[in-house]
């Protein structure tokens, strides 16, 4: 038995004492799911007062894993539905039906005087009609700065774009919109919605060949982890926009979305940026060997992250890379996931560096600005000044070998040697295409 410690009359610090400190509460609350916060508030009057009276508790609100925020699939009647007072009749529109659960949650938060305390609102994967987004942006009862609606359901994109363009109109009231950032384009990692009443049994596995074996699946998983670790080490950050990630936005956004981002520049930031390739600038659209009828491109959203190294030859680009802390906010995307402890655009755009170094440069472009000049496997690419791939790609290798361009200068013909093709069929010729040919030779592959 150890020596007795003299009693000094002071009681040990309790959890209530810790959470009563606003700094501790603000750092802790974003890590707690909403059900955990309400469970904590139900334990005692002290915790109830802390949860419902402190404005920092709901500063970051993630409803994506809240069961009551999910719209049930079966038809509903008027009995026992807490989030809808009116009956199911013909006057209930589709948007009102699908926004019902979230409207009910917002009404409860408003009655408890905490709705305006929400500065970062995460609604990923939920039913979020465009009319509800309009209310979050324009209604005075909301004070949301950063909104995440990634993979939202029942969201009319065309109507959402109209809402955003109206919110940033030149004649808008001063100080509006309050919202400064929207997550929409990047995928989200869904959290499982816990339901203790249902336990799903796993489906029996079906043997579909050697690639479905446990060893093959483990090998593929380790290859993916190794590739992710290598990209993180090379870029010194785990943010995919700053890594050599390749295609980040799988579904190509429409030109209307590009026009919407253009209209929102400097007002609302997104988790995507416009491509700044020279072909999108009317003053810089012409470059050597570029046909005049394809030299200019309308605004487009950058969907491909090219890494911090730049062009394979010059290690830069004609438009220069975007750099955090120096470039305009419209040139930098919001990085996933949304920040927990701050609702500013700077915190949402700042890369997380694993070694504390300065953020790397950001190179990102659209598909059209990389056509014929980007390897889809190793992500090497060449800019317009180093390789006019759009011209060379119009000729086959045989035509390129047998034909050389000629020009007339001072009455004499000067032969221009052929330009070596760097990218063919989406693969760089020097490395990936050769490897594909070797792998396919004699094995009924693409060259077998």
């Amino acid at each position: 038995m150890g020596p007795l410690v003299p009693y000094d009359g002071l009681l040990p610090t309790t959890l209530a004492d810790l959470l009563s400190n606003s700094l501790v509460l603000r750092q802790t609350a974003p890590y707690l799911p909403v059900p955990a916060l309400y469970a904590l508030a139900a334990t005692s009057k002290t915790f109830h007062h802390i949860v419902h009276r402190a404005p920092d508790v709901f500063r970051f609100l993630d409803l994506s894993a809240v069961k009551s925020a999910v719209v049930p699939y079966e038809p509903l009647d008027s009995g026992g539905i807490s989030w809808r007072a009116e009956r199911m009749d013909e006057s209930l529109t589709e948007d009102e039906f699908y926004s019902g659960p979230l409207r009910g949650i917002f009404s409860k938060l408003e009655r408890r005087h905490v709705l305006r305390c929400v500065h970062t609102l995460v609604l990923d994967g939920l039913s979020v009609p465009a009319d509800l987004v309009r209310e979050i942006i324009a209604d005075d009862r909301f004070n949301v700065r950063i909104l995440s609606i990634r993979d939202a359901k029942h969201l009319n994109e065309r109507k959402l774009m109209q809402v955003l363009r109206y919110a940033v109109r030149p004649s808008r009231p001063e100080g509006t919109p309050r919202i400064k950032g929207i997550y929409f384009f990047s995928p989200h990692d869904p959290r499982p919605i816990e339901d203790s009443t249902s336990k799903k049994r796993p489906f029996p596995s079906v043997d579909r060949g050697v690639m479905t074996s446990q060893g093959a699946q483990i090998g593929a998983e380790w290859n993916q982890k190794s590739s992710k670790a290598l990209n993180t080490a090379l870029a010194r950050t785990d943010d995919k926009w700053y890594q050599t990630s390749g295609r980040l936005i799988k579904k190509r956004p429409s030109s209307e979305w590009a026009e919407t981002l253009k209209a929102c520049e400097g007002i609302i930031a997104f988790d995507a940026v416009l491509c700044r390739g020279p072909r999108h600038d009317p003053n810089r659209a012409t470059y050597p060997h570029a046909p005049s009828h394809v030299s200019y491109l309308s605004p487009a959203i950058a969907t491909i992250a090219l890494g911090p190294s730049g062009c394979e030859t010059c290690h830069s680009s004609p438009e220069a890379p975007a750099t955090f802390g120096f470039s305009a906010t419209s040139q930098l995307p919001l990085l996933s996931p949304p920040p927990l402890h701050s609702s500013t655009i700077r915190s949402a755009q700042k890369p997380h560096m694993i070694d504390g170094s300065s953020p790397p440069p950001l190179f990102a472009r659209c598909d059209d600005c990389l056509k014929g000049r980007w390897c889809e496997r190793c992500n090497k690419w060449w800019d317009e000044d180093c390789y006019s791939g759009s011209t060379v790609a119009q000729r086959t290798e045989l035509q390129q070998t047998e034909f050389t361009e000629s020009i007339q200068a001072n009455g004499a013909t000067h032969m221009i040697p052929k330009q070596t093709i760097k990218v063919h069929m989406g693969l760089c010729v020097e490395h990936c295409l050769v490897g594909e040919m070797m792998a396919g030779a004699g094995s009924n592959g693409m060259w077998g």
Side-chain angles (χ1 to χ4, degrees), residues 83 149 227 254 319 447:
W83 52 264
I149 48 175
S227 177
S254 64
E319 69 274 20
W447 303 101

Side-chain angles (χ1 to χ4, degrees), residues 34-88:
V34 175
L37 288 173
Y38 278 98
L40 178 65
T43 57
S44 68
K45 292 183 178 180
T46 301
F47 285 117
H48 185 276
H49 178 80
I50 292 175
V51 170
H52 293 289
R53 294 294 183 267
D56 291 333
V57 172
F58 293 95
R59 187 182 185 91
F60 178 92
L61 182 61
D62 185 356
L63 299 178
S64 59
V66 177
K67 184 180 178 182
S68 60
V70 179
V71 175
Y73 292 101
E74 62 272 14
L76 302 175
D77 55 26
S78 59
I81 303 303
S82 59
W83 52 264
R84 178 173 48 81
E86 65 271 17
R87 296 182 59 86
M88 282 288 293

Side-chain angles (χ1 to χ4, degrees), residues 218-232:
I218 293 176
E221 182 179 354
W222 275 105
N223 287 338
Q224 184 178 5
K225 289 182 178 180
S226 300
S227 177
K228 181 179 179 180
L230 179 61
N231 282 337
T232 301

Side-chain angles (χ1 to χ4, degrees), residues 315-336:
H315 302 292
S316 185
S317 64
E319 69 274 20
T323 306
F324 177 80
F326 298 94
S327 302
T329 57
S330 59
Q331 299 178 6
L332 301 169
L334 302 179
L335 304 178
S336 298

Side-chain angles (χ1 to χ4, degrees), residues 216-406:
Q217 295 299 318
I218 293 176
E221 182 179 354
W222 275 105
N223 287 338
Q224 184 178 5
K225 289 182 178 180
S226 300
S227 177
K228 181 179 179 180
L230 179 61
N231 282 337
T232 301
L234 292 176
R236 308 188 310 281
T237 177
D238 52 5
D239 294 310
K240 293 185 178 180
W241 274 107
Y242 290 86
Q243 296 179 1
T244 311
S245 305
R247 195 179 307 278
L248 277 185
I249 303 178
K250 305 302 180 182
K251 181 181 177 181
R252 185 174 181 176
S254 64
S255 58
E256 292 177 324
W257 264 119
E259 297 291 346
T260 301
L261 263 66
K262 187 71 175 178
C264 294
E265 279 187 349
I267 304 174
I268 301 177
F270 293 85
D271 53 341
V273 292
L274 292 174
C275 178
R276 297 187 298 110
R279 296 181 63 185
H280 296 289
D281 187 350
N283 299 323
R284 302 170 56 194
T286 57
Y287 53 87
H289 313 297
S292 58
H293 64 283
V294 297
S295 59
Y296 174 74
L297 294 174
S298 58
I301 293 178
T303 58
I304 302 171
L306 299 168
S309 300
C311 167
E312 190 68 16
T313 300
C314 67
H315 302 292
S316 185
S317 64
E319 69 274 20
T323 306
F324 177 80
F326 298 94
S327 302
T329 57
S330 59
Q331 299 178 6
L332 301 169
L334 302 179
L335 304 178
S336 298
L340 295 176
H341 302 106
S342 178
S343 301
T344 64
I345 296 302
R346 180 178 177 83
S347 62
Q349 292 181 339
K350 184 177 181 179
H352 174 260
M353 307 305 297
I354 59 178
D355 57 358
S357 58
S358 301
L362 171 66
F363 292 91
R365 285 197 172 189
C366 65
D367 291 76
D368 291 335
C369 283
L370 292 173
K371 187 175 182 181
R373 289 182 286 103
W374 169 57
C375 178
E376 299 180 16
R377 175 173 295 180
C378 69
N379 292 314
K380 291 181 180 178
W381 68 287
W382 291 262
D383 63 19
E384 292 81 359
D385 295 334
C386 298
Y387 176 54
S388 54
S390 59
T391 303
V392 179
Q394 296 176 1
R395 302 195 298 269
T396 65
E397 176 64 24
L398 179 61
Q399 291 173 332
Q400 179 76 351
T401 303
E402 295 178 349
F403 178 78
T404 56
E405 298 177 355
S406 62

